[in-house]
Amino acid sequence: MAADPSGLPVSLSGLSARHSALLALAGITIIRLVAAGFLPVTPDEAYYWTWSRHLQASYLDHPPMVALWIRLGTALFGNNGFGIRVSGPLAAAVGTLLTASATRDFMTTRIGRTRVVSDDLAPPIIAGVLLNATLAVGLGAVMMTPDTPLLFFVAIFLAALGRLSVTGNGFWWFVLGAAAGLGFDSKYTMLLPVAGVGAWCLLSRPGRAWLKTAWPWGAVLLAAALTIPVFWWNETHGWVSFIRQGGRAADWKPARAVQFLGELLGGQIGLMTPGIFLLCSRALLKSVRSHEKTDRLLLAVIVVPLLVFFQHALGDRVQANWPVLIYPPLVVLTALSHPRWWRPASVFGLVLGALVLLQAMIGILPLNRHFDITLRQGGGWSAFAREVREKTQGVAFIASDDYGLASELALRLDNVPVLGGESRWRLVGLPAFLCDSGEGVLIRNARRSFPSDSAWSGIASPGLAITRARYGQEAERYVLYMVRCPLPAAVLQDLRQLPAAH
């Protein structure tokens, strides 16, 4: 049986390879849906769930798309892990198909023909496999964060670029505009690949030709229209979200730049997995020397965000997940280079992702909390909530000044009001809480002391301690502080009653 340079068999027919790839994608999607139902809900996911119970045009930390997706899932399947996450595996499956389609189109444009023969199935399949073998997608597909809808709209954006390149049909600019606007409504970093396309339009002959038409300008107007709710919310809330997310861009700490850049590099090696990182890095360096028009377009979409993250790392920490929006165009570029070692790199990534999922669900390795992020984030929440319920019978309320802990309690407790004790909750528009008499409980991480300006420190008396654990491995310790009503005004101004999971 013959094989193309990528290692895929091609002598039978391209149809069998396509069907095998689709079956594999269907299988991994089913596995992810099952995992989505079994994995414990993490504090950040619970936080976004609280948003979904009080929908608005935007929020302090991110735009509203993640809340909309969660609201849709929980409306269909209930306030549980599966309902919160069900959109993720489905979006990852569709995003994979869109990325493969973009690869096929860019490949067709590169070789200068419109008829694609059977062996040309190899790069689209390679791109889809590489994308799913990264930890960012392999694990991100079963978690619900703003990156989940962001990557979906990036995949639409990339597929529209491919169609635009191969057809020359200006209609695809409007798909680009819609994807850009909805991606911005998911996470503000969607601006970066959009800026990459803008740079390509200014610096390339084909791009400048498009600027002489109405199509890209119409796309800009469409994208802007789709972002109006987010801008309106910010304008009516003192631009707090834009200030929070954009205010760090001008930080400059050259003494720590090496540390921050090292963390950025290490984070990408981890989220891509080492083999895929090496393949993508090689393809990226190779494409810099290429004169292919398709490579120039893909490079613009990849390099502009990379330069922004590099600049940011000179003054502040870049979270490892921020650059994941370049992974779809990066695996397309890599697949077009026909990498020889894509199969072992992908197998390693898929196996590693499966091990991490198993660790999160059942703790197959007896790692302590310092080495196991799955334990710290997700271990033991159900048992912890049951113990809190048992030890707080008859209290007027349960509060926490940690947004993640408060959100977990709101999701899991329905026998007593759960209050968030941070100023961020006022921006969600939740109802204030009044307590004229009785006794309540404040739950705090036992490893943390009260901030010097905390109004709680003078009224809270330490009481019981509770440990959150998974199969005997400690995840975290908490202290239950007793407080009496009426509460001081300095405390009441930040207390908001979180939605219950009814």
Side-chain angles (χ1 to χ4, degrees):
M1 181 179 293
D4 72 2
S6 67
L8 285 177
V10 297
S11 64
L12 294 177
S13 72
L15 187 62
S16 63
R18 181 185 293 112
H19 282 174
S20 297
L22 290 174
L23 285 173
L25 181 60
I28 200 170
T29 301
I30 291 172
I31 292 172
R32 287 168 175 169
L33 287 168
V34 172
F38 280 94
L39 281 172
V41 177
T42 65
D44 279 347
E45 289 177 301
Y47 179 47
Y48 303 135
W49 170 83
T50 65
W51 292 3
S52 76
R53 312 314 298 166
H54 194 90
L55 292 175
Q56 52 192 59
S58 193
Y59 301 88
L60 171 65
D61 304 272
H62 295 289
M65 191 63 69
V66 65
L68 293 172
W69 281 32
I70 292 174
R71 184 60 175 263
L72 175 61
T74 54
L76 295 173
F77 300 104
N79 293 300
N80 50 57
F82 185 80
I84 289 171
R85 300 180 177 125
V86 63
S87 303
L90 301 178
V94 177
T96 299
L97 296 176
L98 291 168
T99 302
S101 173
T103 308
R104 190 176 178 88
D105 283 338
F106 282 120
M107 176 180 60
T108 302
T109 305
R110 172 185 279 199
I111 61 181
R113 61 186 181 182
T114 56
R115 185 176 66 86
V116 181
V117 295
S118 62
D119 64 340
D120 290 330
L121 279 172
I125 291 176
I126 292 171
V129 173
L130 289 175
L131 184 64
N132 282 273
T134 64
L135 288 185
V137 174
L139 300 181
V142 292
M143 306 295 289
M144 183 52 66
T145 71
D147 289 320
T148 308
L150 172 68
L151 282 173
F152 177 71
F153 292 116
V154 167
I156 296 177
F157 188 83
L158 185 61
L161 278 179
R163 289 277 79 195
L164 182 68
S165 298
V166 79
T167 67
N169 187 340
F171 161 80
W172 292 104
W173 278 105
F174 285 101
V175 180
L176 282 169
L182 295 172
F184 182 87
D185 293 339
S186 305
K187 202 170 181 180
Y188 299 135
T189 49
M190 186 66 196
L191 285 173
L192 302 180
V194 173
V197 173
W200 174 79
C201 286
L202 293 172
L203 300 176
S204 71
R205 182 176 298 175
R208 289 192 294 271
W210 275 116
L211 290 179
K212 297 177 182 178
T213 71
W215 295 108
W217 306 108
V220 170
L221 291 176
L222 176 58
L226 290 171
T227 64
I228 286 174
V230 175
F231 278 89
W232 170 82
W233 185 92
N234 271 275
E235 193 277 331
T236 57
H237 289 79
W239 305 101
V240 290
S241 185
F242 289 164
I243 292 171
R244 178 181 177 84
Q245 297 298 337
R248 296 168 291 186
D251 287 347
W252 174 246
K253 300 175 184 175
R256 300 189 64 186
V258 173
Q259 174 194 341
F260 293 147
L261 289 170
E263 291 175 356
L264 173 60
L265 179 63
Q268 300 322 296
I269 293 173
L271 284 183
M272 283 190 193
T273 70
I276 296 175
F277 177 84
L278 290 174
L279 293 178
C280 290
S281 298
R282 182 178 182 275
L284 187 61
L285 292 173
K286 182 180 177 182
S287 65
V288 171
R289 301 189 298 270
S290 171
H291 296 290
E292 290 279 357
K293 294 179 180 179
T294 53
D295 288 359
R296 294 300 178 187
L297 177 53
L298 287 169
L299 270 177
V301 175
I302 296 167
V303 171
V304 169
L306 278 180
L307 290 175
V308 172
F309 293 132
F310 177 84
Q311 181 275 329
H312 187 90
L314 298 178
D316 199 358
R317 181 169 285 112
V318 175
Q319 299 298 324
N321 64 299
W322 291 358
V324 299
L325 83 169
I326 69 168
Y327 287 12
L330 193 53
V331 298
V332 170
L333 193 65
T334 303
L336 292 176
S337 70
H338 294 276
R340 293 185 58 188
W341 302 101
W342 69 274
R343 285 191 291 185
S346 300
V347 169
F348 178 80
L350 291 168
V351 170
L352 183 60
L355 290 175
V356 174
L357 282 177
L358 286 173
Q359 181 70 15
M361 286 190 286
I362 60 175
I364 56 175
L365 297 175
L367 302 176
N368 64 38
R369 64 180 304 277
H370 299 291
F371 299 101
D372 188 353
I373 189 173
T374 69
L375 175 63
R376 297 196 305 272
Q377 289 290 309
W381 281 113
S382 295
F384 171 76
R386 287 195 298 270
E387 189 171 1
V388 168
R389 182 182 290 110
E390 292 170 0
K391 293 185 176 181
T392 57
Q393 294 292 330
V395 300
F397 64 86
I398 295 174
S400 179
D401 55 355
D402 175 272
Y403 75 88
L405 176 56
S407 300
E408 286 280 359
L409 293 171
L411 176 64
R412 299 172 187 278
L413 299 179
D414 55 9
N415 62 320
V416 62
V418 175
L419 311 180
E422 289 184 84
S423 58
R424 72 175 66 215
W425 295 112
R426 282 181 279 168
L427 297 173
V428 186
L430 294 169
F433 181 78
L434 297 177
C435 183
D436 296 327
S437 62
E439 190 172 55
V441 170
L442 172 71
I443 303 180
R444 300 193 83 249
N445 190 311
R447 303 174 196 274
R448 300 174 185 169
S449 58
F450 284 103
S452 58
D453 59 346
S454 173
W456 287 104
S457 59
I459 62 170
S461 303
L464 298 172
I466 296 181
T467 297
R468 176 168 59 86
R470 182 183 67 197
Y471 302 117
Q473 288 284 350
E474 179 185 305
E476 194 55 86
R477 298 194 307 271
Y478 303 91
V479 175
L480 276 59
Y481 292 84
M482 308 308 296
V483 293
R484 287 194 171 277
C485 299
L487 298 171
V491 170
L492 285 173
Q493 68 179 355
D494 284 340
L495 277 183
R496 293 294 186 274
Q497 185 166 338
L498 304 188
H502 295 307

